[in-house]
Amino acid sequence: MERPHPTGRRMSRLAIRLAVLALAVLSLTRIPYLVIGLWSRVSRRGPRSVFFCYAGSREFVASYGLGRTADLFRWQPSPIGILSQGGEWGIVLASPVTERDFLDPANRVLFGRLLDRISLIARLSGAREINLAGILPGAVAGAFPIKARDGRPLVIRALTEAIATISATRFAGSRPPVILFGGAGRIGRALRQAPDMANSVVHVVDPADGASASLSDLRRELAAGPVLLVDLSRKGALAASADQLWPGCVVLNETFPRPSRALVARLAGRGVEVWHLSGLAGRVWPELPHGYEDAVPCCAAHEAGPDTQVRLVRLDIAPRDHPRTSGSSVS
């Protein structure tokens, strides 16, 4: 397949940024959401969901923003695309805030206003549910009145399917010991309790939890044998611990953004294979950057029926634009 010309890619990215900027300005009013809501009532084909994601990296901001104009909308949820999954569609909102921003108590009022705006957008547009990305569900639970869907069941189903697929293809069908890296969080706790994990030996390593085991301790305990490490941690945690991994480890990454090429190359040099769970089969237009090609993030997905495909990508250091992709049904 012929690759797009670099000039064409640059023009496409510029067009996306200009369109997002225009939508961001328009979305400061209620007009676009009132129009969608009116169309929803008339056609009965309105959005099922409003999905809000945030800046996992500066590269994410650069994919949508035009220089300093992004900072003008720092606490304003702006539309950046449309998703389609499970036979229904949704509105994708984003803001150039980071985890540090919304976890900072000094920003509580601004964060609350952002969440209120998301709720308002959902009501005006006729969306039936609100889905939040990353650690936001845990950050808002019990602290803010926003009524967001608990997306953990879909994430857990996708993770257990991905674990089963990797076990079958990379561990000759046997269940390897599993390390939940960042396993003390909401997703890690739910994954440990999943019935599909009952036959796995599970170890928890969490850089944010001093009571959990360390990778160095597990390396000795497991005699540096084959192991599947499921990365549920925050950005940067895996890179900080990469030198503690050993040959025969397989990493399954569920976090955003996916591991960089530099980190994948660094791990490959240690004999460690890296896979990325992109999400569930679906489309986001324009595509979300850094690991979500032909997929909708699990936290944004609407459902996972028997025919829903899990998008699982093996991250190679080459070729750049064609990672190996595996699709398996969620059962």
Side-chain angles (χ1 to χ4, degrees), residues 30-264:
R30 299 186 178 191
I31 293 174
Y33 309 114
L34 287 169
V35 171
I36 294 173
L38 177 61
W39 179 78
S40 298
R41 289 192 292 273
V42 172
S43 68
R44 297 185 179 181
R45 296 178 60 186
R48 170 169 172 171
S49 65
V50 165
F51 170 58
F52 176 75
C53 53
Y54 54 89
S57 66
R58 294 306 301 175
E59 290 79 9
F60 185 97
V61 177
S63 297
Y64 295 96
L66 285 171
R68 294 183 178 180
T69 60
D71 291 333
L72 298 176
F73 302 93
R74 190 170 185 79
W75 292 99
Q76 171 67 32
S78 302
I80 63 168
I82 294 173
L83 67 86
S84 175
Q85 196 274 329
E88 297 186 89
W89 68 282
I91 302 168
V92 183
L93 304 173
S95 176
V97 292
T98 64
E99 290 183 4
R100 179 178 298 179
D101 290 328
F102 60 70
L103 292 177
D104 186 343
N107 294 327
R108 181 178 175 84
V109 173
L110 291 171
F111 185 32
R113 290 174 183 170
L114 181 144
L115 295 173
D116 288 343
R117 181 68 178 178
I118 294 170
S119 297
L120 176 64
I121 291 170
R123 290 197 303 273
L124 293 177
S125 62
R128 304 194 302 276
E129 64 186 41
I130 297 172
N131 298 324
L132 302 176
I135 68 169
L136 276 174
V140 304
F144 296 91
I146 188 169
K147 295 182 179 179
R149 188 198 66 178
D150 185 353
R152 283 178 294 182
L154 283 180
V155 177
I156 299 310
R157 292 183 70 183
L159 276 168
T160 53
E161 180 70 22
I163 290 170
T165 299
I166 293 176
S167 296
T169 58
R170 313 309 299 169
F171 295 94
S174 63
R175 280 280 185 168
V178 175
I179 297 175
L180 299 185
F181 190 64
R186 293 174 73 252
I187 299 299
R189 294 194 303 269
L191 182 58
R192 295 203 308 271
Q193 297 169 3
D196 289 343
M197 298 298 292
N199 295 325
S200 297
V201 177
V202 178
H203 305 272
V204 175
V205 174
D206 197 316
D209 181 8
S212 69
S214 70
L215 287 175
S216 298
D217 292 339
L218 287 178
R219 178 171 185 160
R220 290 190 294 270
E221 181 179 337
L222 299 173
V227 68
L228 174 61
L229 183 146
V230 182
D231 183 17
L232 307 170
S233 61
R234 296 185 185 180
K235 178 187 175 185
L238 180 62
S241 301
D243 292 339
Q244 299 178 49
L245 298 182
W246 56 92
C249 292
V250 176
V251 171
L252 168 60
N253 174 73
E254 191 273 334
T255 61
F256 175 85
R258 69 183 174 197
S260 66
R261 287 175 54 80
L263 178 56
V264 172

